[in-house]
Amino acid sequence: MSEAALAGKRVIKVADSIVNLAVLIAVILLIVIGSYALWDSRQVYQTADSTRYAVYKPTDENGGLSFAELQEINPDVCAWLEVYGTHIDYPVVQGKENMTYVNRNAEGKYSQSGAIFLDKYCSRDFSDFSSILYGHHMEKHAMFGEIGLFKNKDYFEARRYGMLYYGGQEHGLEFFAFLHADAYDTAVFKTHITERKQQQAYIDMIFDRARHTRDINITPDEKIVLLSTCSTDSTNGRDILVGRITDEVFANPFNTEDGSRNGELIVNCLDGLVGNPWCLGILGLLLICLIALILLATLKKRRYRNTQEETNNEGDMV
């Protein structure tokens, strides 16, 4: 084999090694970036998880002391909302503007998940005929992510009650309608309905436009609350669950004897791995080592093949 041919083969081998190294580096970068993205996404959902606020929840046992402590941290906290059979179990805030808590949590800190907040035009003590609560539509059962599930008739039928705490005591919630509306529909997103005739017309409008309803009598003498979140059905769509506030506090039929939710997994292994940066790092390193071993084995095989070819070529020249 000529010197030029041998030099060409060396150049090809060097170029091949460079390409393999570049591929390995690219794979490592992709793994690192992907792991960080998973971890960052998990952090967002962790901050939105209702369990992180459980210590502040007003109960008969603590007499609302923890809730009072949360109000000391953030005076905008005005209530607590729970929808039985879901993960909606959050403090409620009211800002001077409705955008205040779109990217701020109930403790007043910056958070992409925001908080459940009361419309700025509604009375803080829920004394209005109608009150509107807003929350982000999020996956993994966070914030108002489960409101859209009420479009399913069976889901709606199975989840009738909830709890709303304000004014130092618990109140019952009885959900009677689910509807879909446009975000700019002023007929639905209407506050300060003071005249009895208008209040009855508003109730009739909800029943007329609702996808699902319960056959219960709602009168202007009662207080109603709307839980609104973004919908996946349309660009500006909103899914809205409507309930009435009652003096009777309903028992939560989804609680088991140990206080956990029926049908909820105690441990989610995959979720735990994604939420732990150390686990992600270890998995990333294992993947990198595996890919490196595969590439090294490939390089070794190629080098052996090239050596064999060179030996054969030299033998032919002799």
Side-chain angles (χ1 to χ4, degrees):
M1 181 178 289
S2 66
E3 290 294 329
L6 289 173
K9 291 182 76 64
R10 292 192 189 95
V11 171
I12 292 173
K13 287 173 65 178
V14 171
D16 188 55
S17 299
I18 293 174
V19 170
N20 287 329
L21 180 60
V23 171
L24 177 59
I25 292 173
V27 170
I28 292 173
L29 287 175
L30 286 174
I31 291 174
V32 171
I33 293 172
S35 298
Y36 174 78
L38 287 172
W39 176 79
D40 185 62
S41 175
R42 174 58 183 164
Q43 290 299 103
V44 172
Y45 285 104
Q46 275 189 331
T47 59
D49 195 323
S50 61
T51 57
R52 72 181 299 270
Y53 294 103
V55 66
Y56 297 122
K57 186 175 180 178
T59 63
D60 294 337
E61 287 77 13
N62 62 29
L65 177 60
S66 296
F67 183 75
E69 291 173 347
L70 179 59
Q71 287 182 309
E72 290 181 3
I73 296 172
N74 182 13
D76 285 345
V77 174
C78 60
W80 193 284
L81 170 70
E82 182 178 5
V83 179
Y84 299 157
T86 73
H87 294 76
I88 300 173
D89 194 7
Y90 292 97
V92 176
V93 295
Q94 184 182 45
K96 293 181 179 179
E97 300 296 333
N98 282 341
M99 292 299 294
T100 302
Y101 285 96
V102 170
N103 293 114
R104 190 178 297 178
N105 64 22
E107 294 173 322
K109 301 175 183 177
Y110 173 79
S111 172
Q112 294 182 32
S113 58
I116 305 301
F117 62 93
L118 177 66
D119 191 290
K120 70 173 184 176
Y121 294 110
C122 295
S123 298
R124 183 183 172 94
D125 60 358
F126 292 86
S127 59
D128 293 334
F129 162 71
S130 63
S131 303
I132 306 175
L133 296 176
Y134 303 97
H136 285 307
H137 176 95
M138 298 183 67
E139 296 179 353
K140 300 183 180 180
H141 313 298
M143 305 308 289
F144 272 1
E146 291 163 295
I147 294 295
L149 299 178
F150 281 84
K151 75 175 80 173
N152 180 287
K153 181 67 172 178
D154 292 336
Y155 194 91
F156 174 82
E157 291 294 344
R159 292 158 177 80
R160 179 167 184 162
Y161 301 112
M163 184 275 292
L164 185 65
Y165 177 93
Y166 63 89
Q169 62 181 12
E170 295 182 353
H171 303 266
L173 284 177
E174 185 175 17
F175 301 107
F176 62 87
F178 173 82
L179 65 149
H180 181 82
D182 188 87
Y184 302 100
D185 190 338
T186 56
V188 175
F189 295 99
K190 189 175 184 180
T191 57
H192 289 302
I193 309 173
T194 56
E195 295 184 9
R196 188 177 182 84
K197 185 176 180 180
Q198 293 178 336
Q199 293 170 347
Q200 185 60 57
Y202 188 79
I203 294 171
D204 295 339
M205 180 272 297
I206 288 177
F207 275 96
D208 289 340
R209 296 179 54 175
R211 293 187 180 184
H212 308 307
T213 61
R214 284 193 173 84
D215 188 17
I216 59 177
N217 184 36
I218 306 295
T219 71
D221 296 321
E222 298 179 274
K223 311 297 182 186
I224 65 174
V225 60
L226 285 71
L227 314 184
S228 174
T229 191
C230 296
S231 173
T232 57
D233 291 345
S234 56
T235 303
N236 294 318
R238 296 293 183 269
D239 288 328
I240 306 168
L241 182 64
V242 190
R244 64 176 173 186
I245 302 173
T246 67
D247 291 332
E248 179 184 359
V249 180
F250 305 101
N252 186 349
F254 293 88
N255 274 350
T256 58
E257 291 182 0
D258 61 358
S260 61
R261 296 183 178 94
N262 286 325
E264 182 178 346
L265 294 177
I266 303 301
V267 178
N268 187 322
C269 297
L270 180 60
D271 202 38
L273 287 175
V274 173
N276 192 322
W278 287 103
C279 290
L280 283 175
I282 293 172
L283 287 175
L285 287 174
L286 289 175
L287 284 173
I288 291 171
C289 291
L290 178 61
I291 293 170
L293 288 173
I294 293 173
L295 288 175
L296 287 172
T298 303
L299 285 171
K300 187 175 181 180
K301 186 175 181 180
R302 286 183 180 179
R303 287 171 182 169
Y304 176 78
R305 186 171 61 247
N306 290 335
T307 301
Q308 290 296 105
E309 289 177 356
E310 289 177 1
T311 301
N312 293 334
N313 289 332
E314 289 174 357
D316 292 340
M317 290 176 66
V318 173

